[in-house]
Amino acid sequence: MADSSTNRSSATGTAPVLVASNRGPVSFSTADDGTLTLRRGGGGLVSGLSAIEDPNAVWVCAALNDSDRRAAAGAPHGRLDLAGHEVGGQAVRMLDIDPQTFSRAYNGVANSTLWFVHHLLYATPTAPAFDAGFRTEWAAYQAYNEAFAEALAAEAAPNAAVLVQDYHLSLVPALLREARPDLRIGHFSHTPWAPPEYYRLLPDDVARAVLTGILGADRACFLTHRWARAFAACCEDLLEATVDHDALTVTFDGRTTLPQPSAGGTPTRRTTLPQPSAGGTPTRRTTRLGVHALGADADFLRERAHRPDVDERLAALREAVGDRRTIVRVDRTELSKNIVRGLQAYRHLLRTRPEWHDRVVHIAFAYPSRTDLAEYRNYTAAVRDLAAAINDEFATPTWQPLILHVDDDFPRSLAAYRLADVALVNPIRDGMNLVAKEVPVVSDHGCALVLSREAGAHAELKDDALTVNPYDVIATADALHAGLTMSPEERADRTKRLTAAATALPPQQWFLDQLNAL
Ligand code: F6P
């Protein structure tokens, strides 16, 4: 007899609200004695979900490591037992996806391809090259998305609301709609969206599958209007979809035309392909686009930033810095965060403005991220090398100009936020960048914010930030100087306004707004 949880056409579960994301609200590690230890995840989505009051809500996520897999395997009916842990009221279903499939989908497609496209990270003379290896990864990405769609279809009550998160799960909305047309489906992109000229780097079928996958949602949501417009432009350009720029909708009739290569490889004719939907029959659907600018969680941050573990780290940092000014940055060690150019800007400041020698310390926290990928490991090495070179060039027996830490320590990050005179947030491109919103909220005495115009947060913070072109090292050094010399009154005034803008849409409201709009 067929297992009803995998019967995609008739299965209905009991959850009225579901969230799906690659990384879930909890993760596990294995202690020396072999027992599993649970840790609550951070981030806006975890805070946002605390707004759900329904105890039947379900969060579907992937097992990310062997400890997660052990926990998932031992979970009754696939649901983790979270009793006694402060992780919100919802049930968590962790999918035990075969490790090779998971790695190809997460590392190969999501992080090495879609992430690179949306953040414009390729050095195009040599990359990308979509070869046979990529095709294997793409097949894994499809299987991984199917596993999520099946789990959601099995868990969802009739007419349930399903909020699918991010570029890992771009195929899920269309797959889920096919299995469960009764559901209300939202998709949220936490990344930027690439402009069409860059998005077209993807193989044509992949580019279309990602767009039509997301268009399976009733609402496709973004962190800023800029990313929503870029998505709409890709739909117009690659799918010939109809975009209503005022109502912010995309209408797609399920057909797309594309050139077919002739024997000589030159496109000669155009043919009509069906959308990957019910039985291949083209259907006309309109997807609404939404913009929800996730804000900082002020209540959580203020309370957390004044606990004893943060005070302790603040005292240690104060001792290291003395009465000097501070420039603070806190990031994942992530290619898009532009840490290397940030360090180059600091070096330029010290080289061209010797008045800052012995009067400033740059505190840079770059905690590990995606270390399975060689690009990320190499980038971490480049950050370390440049940091060491700056200290070699300028340090004196009594002054260390740069303090770099590459291990994750959340209380120490909050301590640095409190201490910051200047915050440096200079990404090449960023969906939002919550650090830019968090520092003003937590800062003890007000801080100047040097902010890349390519961060989503810039749309809301630009009036009171010092805006920089992230590629312009000299202009960034000038902005650091402007931040360091800003009067305390101006800094405090700007910080007040930055805080108001940064907290305009707290995570819980951000989440409820999306739910209510579905
Ligand atoms: O920005 C997209 C995003 O998925 C964020 O939601 C998250 O902070 C970040 O990437 C982390 O990625 P990973 O799960 O690969 O560490």
Side-chain angles (χ1 to χ4, degrees):
M1 205 173 85
D3 171 359
S4 65
S5 69
T6 55
N7 180 344
R8 301 174 75 198
S9 55
S10 62
T12 54
T14 54
V17 178
L18 300 95
V19 173
S21 62
N22 173 65
R23 192 178 287 279
V26 294
S27 62
F28 292 86
S29 54
T30 305
D32 290 342
D33 65 359
T35 52
L36 287 170
T37 314
L38 180 149
R39 212 178 97 168
R40 181 188 195 269
L45 197 56
V46 178
S47 313
L49 210 79
S50 66
I52 301 184
E53 281 165 6
D54 198 312
N56 294 316
V58 172
W59 188 327
V60 178
C61 59
L64 303 181
N65 54 45
D66 288 343
S67 302
D68 282 1
R69 284 196 181 87
R70 267 185 61 207
H77 310 295
R79 291 186 177 189
L80 299 172
D81 178 8
L82 303 177
H85 297 281
E86 272 185 52
V87 290
Q90 86 287 344
V92 175
R93 179 160 170 188
M94 214 176 233
L95 303 181
D96 182 358
I97 294 167
D98 149 67
Q100 193 178 49
T101 304
F102 174 78
S103 173
R104 286 173 173 159
Y106 173 71
N107 290 316
V109 176
N111 289 342
S112 298
T113 306
L114 299 179
W115 182 272
F116 271 55
V117 167
H118 289 316
H119 292 85
L120 320 183
L121 292 178
Y122 285 118
T124 52
T126 51
F130 294 111
D131 54 11
F134 173 75
R135 286 292 157 181
T136 308
E137 292 171 345
W138 176 246
Y141 182 82
Q142 289 171 310
Y144 158 98
N145 272 257
E146 277 161 17
F148 269 83
E150 282 182 14
L152 291 165
E155 295 281 356
N159 307 312
V162 186
L163 296 173
V164 180
Q165 310 299 314
D166 241 341
Y167 57 104
H168 315 89
L169 301 179
S170 58
L171 308 183
V172 166
L175 291 167
L176 188 55
R177 177 164 302 286
E178 191 184 332
R180 292 285 307 273
D182 60 303
L183 300 179
R184 291 169 292 138
I185 304 170
H187 184 274
F188 201 99
S189 292
H190 294 259
T191 59
W193 196 274
E197 296 74 16
Y198 205 86
Y199 187 77
R200 292 170 75 105
L201 290 180
L202 289 171
D204 292 352
D205 62 317
V206 171
R208 283 196 305 275
V210 168
L211 295 173
T212 55
I214 291 176
L215 289 177
D218 296 290
R219 291 184 85 235
C221 299
F222 299 87
L223 287 163
T224 69
H225 280 94
R226 183 178 173 193
W227 313 141
R229 281 196 303 269
F231 174 79
C234 287
C235 292
E236 269 180 325
D237 190 35
L238 282 96
L239 301 179
E240 297 179 8
T242 306
V243 174
D244 182 328
H245 293 275
D246 297 324
L248 269 187
T249 59
V250 178
T251 301
F252 177 51
D253 69 3
R255 291 172 185 275
T256 186
T257 55
L258 80 164
Q260 289 293 291
S262 69
T266 317
T268 53
R269 69 193 170 88
R270 290 162 83 82
T271 189
T272 301
L273 292 183
Q275 180 190 20
S277 73
T281 313
T283 46
R284 187 178 170 81
R285 294 196 64 250
T286 295
T287 300
R288 289 171 284 143
L289 305 188
V291 175
H292 301 272
L294 176 63
D297 191 346
D299 295 342
F300 164 75
L301 286 167
R302 290 197 182 109
E303 188 278 324
R304 185 66 189 86
H306 288 86
R307 287 199 203 161
D309 57 350
V310 177
D311 289 337
E312 217 174 86
R313 286 157 175 83
L314 183 58
L317 283 176
R318 277 211 182 103
E319 184 159 343
V321 168
D323 59 1
R324 302 177 184 94
R325 302 279 170 82
T326 55
I327 299 170
V328 167
R329 75 172 305 141
V330 176
D331 304 277
R332 289 187 297 116
T333 310
E334 158 61 56
L335 282 64
S336 62
K337 301 295 180 187
N338 208 20
I339 302 170
V340 169
R341 287 194 194 83
L343 295 178
Q344 289 169 345
Y346 182 57
R347 181 174 64 186
H348 187 80
L349 177 85
L350 295 181
R351 281 183 178 168
T352 56
R353 299 185 193 268
E355 69 267 29
W356 286 115
H357 291 192
D358 204 21
R359 289 185 51 224
V360 65
V361 174
H362 185 11
I363 299 172
F365 295 161
Y367 58 86
S369 179
R370 304 181 187 168
T371 47
D372 286 344
L373 298 180
E375 286 96 334
Y376 283 68
R377 294 195 298 272
N378 296 340
Y379 192 70
T380 305
V383 167
R384 280 179 191 273
D385 289 350
L386 184 50
I390 290 171
N391 277 329
D392 283 351
E393 187 173 341
F394 298 104
T396 68
T398 54
W399 174 52
Q400 182 181 336
L402 197 149
I403 298 173
L404 173 73
H405 286 296
V406 294
D407 58 321
D408 189 5
D409 184 336
F410 183 54
R412 191 181 56 204
S413 298
L414 290 175
Y417 286 5
R418 287 182 56 185
L419 191 63
D421 293 307
V422 177
L424 174 57
V425 182
N426 65 324
I428 289 170
R429 200 168 160 89
D430 212 330
M432 174 56 73
N433 197 300
L434 278 180
V435 172
K437 291 187 164 182
E438 289 169 353
V439 184
V441 175
V442 172
S443 140
D444 277 349
H445 304 292
C447 79
L449 175 63
V450 174
L451 180 60
S452 164
R453 65 189 184 197
E454 307 305 327
H458 189 254
E460 295 157 277
L461 305 183
K462 60 179 181 300
D463 290 349
D464 288 290
L466 300 167
T467 298
V468 290
N469 167 353
Y471 299 95
D472 190 337
V473 167
I474 295 174
T476 305
D478 290 345
L480 291 175
H481 176 72
L484 288 167
T485 51
M486 193 182 279
S487 73
E489 299 72 33
E490 184 177 352
R491 244 172 43 186
D493 282 351
R494 285 187 189 232
T495 303
K496 219 179 281 167
R497 292 189 294 266
L498 285 168
T499 301
T503 56
L505 185 57
Q508 289 84 354
Q509 196 55 45
W510 170 82
F511 187 83
L512 289 176
D513 285 356
Q514 290 172 64
L515 208 53
N516 295 336
L518 253 192

